Amino acid sequence: MAQDAVGLPSDYQFWMWKLSVWGQASTSETQQDTCRHLPQFQEFLRQMYEALKEMDSSTVIERFPTIGQLLAKACLNPFILAYDESQKILIWCLCCLINKEPQNSGESKLNSWIREMLSHILSSFRFDMKEVGLFTHCLGYAPADYYPGLLKNMVLSLVSELRENHLNGFNTQRRMVPERVRSLSRVCAPLITLPDFKPLVEALLTYHGREPQEMLWPEFFDAVNDAFLLKKISLPKSAIVCLWLRHLPSLEKAVLHLFEKLISSERNSLRRIECFMKDSLLPEAACHPAIFRMVDEMFRYALLETDGAPEVLAAIQVFTWCFVEALEKEDTQLKFTLKTYFPYASPSLVMVLLQHPKGIPQGLWHQPLTHISEMLREIVEDQAHWSCRGPFESWFVLVHFGGWADVAAEHLLMSAAEPPEAWLWLLAFSYSPRDRSQWRAEAMAEGKAVLSRLRKLLRSPTLSARDVHAAAGEQSGDPRPPACPWLIRRLTLNFLLWAPGGHTIAREVITLMAQTDEITHEIIGFLDQTLYRWDRLCMEAPTSRKLARELLTELRVHV
């Protein structure tokens, strides 16, 4: 056996022993142990296939004489055949042993044996008497005359029994005992990807007994969640919501899975992020406050760990867009108060932020902008209104509805009258939650000076890139770095998109601004976010929209 370890996964001997134990007994403990190890055994099979495919059949048999025993034991185990992709990987491994041109009777016999094993695997899901007996025994069924539709009828019978118990929960004589429900979930764990088992999986997830403790097997929740995340099973939203409410680790894993998808592809567009969000089903499931709070907390930690990374800020805003959409579709009136979703924020502030700009005529946007800014400023700067979490909580809520800060940046430049200071304060606060009134005052002073110079350029008959660059303070000669360079660049970029003469010099100004890759990525993020928001708000700005798209395409090519 020692020679088998050469060139194959190091745990070959361990799995050979496990398969022998599983094949010698069919007790409840053995079956439970089998189900628990199925994911690891499938990974072992995958690694073994990677090793076998590099050799010809003669070399495999010569170097690993017990490989046939291992594969045979695996092929005769119905739990392994039923689990996920194990059946397919076993077929791959067996095909590695086939000798295409057998030279002797031994090789011919081996080919014949392999064909028998392949035939067994491919026909295993007919579930005849012998194979289905293992499952039916676990479920408490007596031997009977089975027929081809047994599995489907058995599943439908169990589903009906679960639903009947759910409706007649107080009738103790007709209720399914918790031990049987738990046993049922254990047996189903390796079978959840089979289409015929889908109704039973859904019925188990949505079934609630009267017991104070969870009845279902934890590994069942893990298996369903993994299959859902990998798109190996499709379940209705109600079943997934039940899964995440009943098993917190599954919800945490779903959020982490979403995070992995968001960071796996560098610099995702917001449209792509939106697709990831909706595909995850998390925004819809978040209509339940308990799920929203959990997802929101994980976003909060991600924001703190990355020190407010723009990618995380964008993801939070897109998640909130999708969440609000789902909330509106589910019911015109909130089933839960806003306090249940945002427990640390002012309910009146959240209510105003929820009044999405899309539902307000552009000519009236200045009213909610001023109101939001004044409410935030009172909460942040008046210690009497501070919550136990300080100004960060108000900023975190504003991050969710970041579209209002973007609207403020545009209106600061394009407003016909002198814009109120409240809009500049809102923009400065949106860039930092830090409790530093002095820092915000410096940022506002710098922003006000830049804003004044840019508004003067709006009235200039001719524009040059250097004039705009100078107005942004890039050539002031002041050795001190600006308090908030992002705010200044945001005002400058909005000027280029909205000023009548800004379109002709936009490329030259951006070339002067984009002195580092970090600033270039920031500009790309701004343009992508602006286009996404305009699409969401159905903004009528064809010239600006065309320029933003062209600039975004050009910058992405050169990064």
Side-chain angles (χ1 to χ4, degrees):
M1 183 69 72
Q3 62 179 326
D4 286 358
V6 180
L8 283 178
S10 59
D11 49 359
Y12 179 93
Q13 295 183 10
F14 169 79
W15 290 114
M16 191 72 175
W17 170 73
K18 273 290 184 186
L19 288 167
S20 297
V21 173
W22 294 343
Q24 292 171 4
S26 59
T27 64
S28 176
E29 291 75 14
T30 305
Q31 294 160 12
Q32 184 172 344
D33 184 63
T34 305
C35 294
R36 185 180 294 112
H37 285 85
L38 286 173
Q40 297 96 312
F41 182 71
Q42 178 175 277
E43 181 58 29
F44 162 76
L45 283 178
R46 195 181 301 277
Q47 293 174 11
M48 190 170 68
Y49 167 68
E50 293 298 324
L52 295 179
K53 72 179 183 179
E54 300 299 328
M55 315 175 199
D56 58 43
S57 60
S58 300
T59 304
V60 172
I61 300 303
E62 179 182 350
R63 294 181 59 184
F64 313 114
T66 61
I67 193 69
Q69 298 177 30
L70 184 142
L71 294 177
K73 292 178 186 294
C75 290
L76 296 175
N77 190 310
F79 287 96
I80 293 174
L81 292 183
Y83 179 72
D84 198 33
E85 296 184 335
S86 296
Q87 183 188 44
K88 178 175 66 177
I89 303 172
L90 274 172
I91 293 174
W92 293 347
C93 291
L94 286 169
C95 289
C96 291
L97 306 184
I98 294 177
N99 196 313
K100 296 181 180 179
E101 297 180 0
Q103 301 297 319
N104 51 56
S105 60
E107 292 179 353
S108 298
K109 288 181 180 179
L110 176 62
N111 282 359
S112 178
W113 173 81
I114 293 172
R115 283 194 293 269
E116 290 179 5
M117 287 293 100
L118 291 173
S119 176
H120 171 77
I121 292 176
L122 295 173
S123 63
S124 62
F125 291 108
R126 294 173 185 171
F127 286 97
D128 58 15
M129 272 284 294
K130 180 180 177 181
E131 292 169 329
V132 82
L134 180 60
F135 300 115
T136 56
H137 176 74
C138 299
L139 299 175
Y141 281 83
D145 293 329
Y146 299 106
Y147 52 93
L150 168 69
L151 178 61
K152 183 176 181 180
N153 289 326
M154 185 173 67
V155 168
L156 292 177
S157 174
L158 288 167
V159 170
S160 298
E161 189 175 355
L162 283 168
R163 289 176 178 169
E164 184 178 352
N165 275 263
H166 187 69
L167 295 173
N168 300 280
F170 292 105
N171 188 339
T172 56
Q173 293 182 347
R174 301 180 64 185
R175 286 182 61 197
M176 185 181 290
V177 294
E179 291 77 11
R180 186 154 185 259
V181 176
R182 184 174 179 83
S183 175
L184 183 58
S185 68
R186 177 173 59 81
V187 173
C188 281
L191 308 172
I192 57 174
T193 56
L194 296 179
D196 286 338
F197 273 81
K198 179 180 175 181
L200 184 55
V201 172
E202 182 181 345
L204 283 168
L205 290 173
T206 55
Y207 175 78
H208 294 281
R210 307 296 174 183
E211 288 70 26
Q213 295 181 342
E214 179 57 63
M215 293 182 294
L216 302 185
W217 202 42
E219 284 79 358
F220 170 76
F221 288 125
D222 290 332
V224 174
N225 194 58
D226 289 345
F228 171 74
L229 295 180
L230 297 176
K231 304 302 178 187
K232 295 180 178 180
I233 186 173
S234 176
L235 291 170
K237 185 187 76 171
S238 57
I240 297 300
V241 169
C242 287
L243 165 66
W244 289 339
L245 287 175
R246 297 176 70 170
H247 194 241
L248 183 59
S250 290
L251 175 57
E252 292 174 339
K253 190 169 185 177
V255 179
L256 292 175
H257 183 74
L258 172 62
F259 286 175
E260 289 174 2
K261 292 181 72 173
L262 293 179
I263 65 176
S264 61
S265 180
E266 189 177 358
R267 302 291 172 182
N268 280 315
S269 69
L270 294 194
R271 278 295 175 192
R272 187 166 174 79
I273 291 176
E274 180 183 337
C275 291
F276 287 148
M277 290 288 181
K278 292 183 175 180
D279 189 56
S280 73
L281 207 64
L282 284 167
E284 290 185 62
C287 291
H288 193 291
I291 294 179
F292 177 88
R293 292 280 302 281
M294 182 64 205
V295 176
D296 205 44
E297 281 300 305
M298 294 185 73
F299 270 121
R300 183 197 304 272
Y301 291 138
L303 198 61
L304 291 171
E305 287 294 325
T306 59
D307 196 25
E311 295 82 1
V312 181
L313 292 171
I316 294 174
Q317 291 179 24
V318 175
F319 174 80
T320 308
W321 279 94
C322 298
F323 160 70
V324 172
E325 271 188 355
L327 210 58
E328 292 173 348
K329 289 179 182 178
E330 187 166 284
D331 202 337
T332 53
Q333 293 191 358
L334 287 173
K335 294 180 181 179
F336 304 95
T337 64
L338 292 175
K339 193 72 174 176
T340 58
Y341 295 101
F342 301 96
Y344 306 110
S346 164
S348 55
L349 173 63
V350 177
M351 183 63 76
V352 177
L353 290 170
L354 270 173
Q355 294 177 4
H356 201 276
K358 185 176 181 179
I360 303 174
Q362 291 187 15
L364 301 178
W365 281 1
H366 64 281
Q367 296 176 358
L369 273 177
T370 304
H371 189 34
I372 290 169
S373 178
E374 291 173 347
M375 291 180 69
L376 277 170
R377 194 165 189 172
E378 182 181 6
I379 294 170
V380 170
E381 297 186 353
D382 187 349
Q383 294 189 12
H385 290 83
W386 275 17
S387 69
C388 60
R389 299 198 175 194
F392 174 83
E393 205 57 49
S394 297
W395 177 78
F396 187 54
V397 174
L398 180 61
V399 165
H400 287 74
F401 305 94
W404 283 112
D406 298 327
V407 171
E410 292 175 359
H411 275 54
L412 279 167
L413 280 164
M414 306 315 298
S415 177
E418 189 69 21
E421 187 182 81
W423 297 358
L424 192 58
W425 184 94
L426 178 64
L427 195 58
F429 179 68
S430 70
Y431 283 103
S432 176
R434 293 173 291 186
D435 178 27
R436 290 174 56 188
S437 299
Q438 182 179 355
W439 176 91
R440 272 192 295 275
E442 293 176 6
M444 288 177 64
E446 291 175 356
K448 191 172 185 178
V450 171
L451 184 62
S452 177
R453 293 193 291 267
L454 290 175
R455 287 174 65 86
K456 285 182 180 177
L457 289 179
L458 286 174
R459 300 187 292 270
S460 176
T462 58
L463 278 178
S464 71
R466 294 196 175 277
D467 288 340
V468 176
H469 199 53
E474 299 289 347
Q475 299 174 343
S476 63
D478 191 342
R480 294 178 305 170
C484 188
W486 281 20
L487 186 152
I488 295 173
R489 284 195 285 269
R490 179 61 58 92
L491 291 174
T492 306
L493 291 168
N494 272 305
F495 175 86
L496 295 174
L497 291 179
W498 290 103
H503 295 184
T504 58
I505 59 171
R507 288 171 175 79
E508 188 177 352
V509 174
I510 288 178
T511 300
L512 293 172
M513 291 173 62
Q515 299 174 356
T516 65
D517 288 343
E518 182 179 356
I519 295 177
T520 303
H521 285 308
E522 178 194 328
I523 295 172
I524 290 174
F526 163 78
L527 293 170
D528 181 47
Q529 186 173 350
T530 300
L531 284 169
Y532 180 77
R533 180 170 51 85
W534 287 351
D535 289 341
R536 282 281 190 170
L537 300 181
C538 302
M539 288 279 288
E540 294 294 336
T543 306
S544 299
R545 189 187 298 272
K546 180 182 178 183
L547 173 65
R549 284 203 180 100
E550 291 174 351
L551 291 172
L552 184 59
T553 301
E554 292 171 11
L555 288 170
R556 279 176 170 162
V557 168
H558 291 93
V559 169

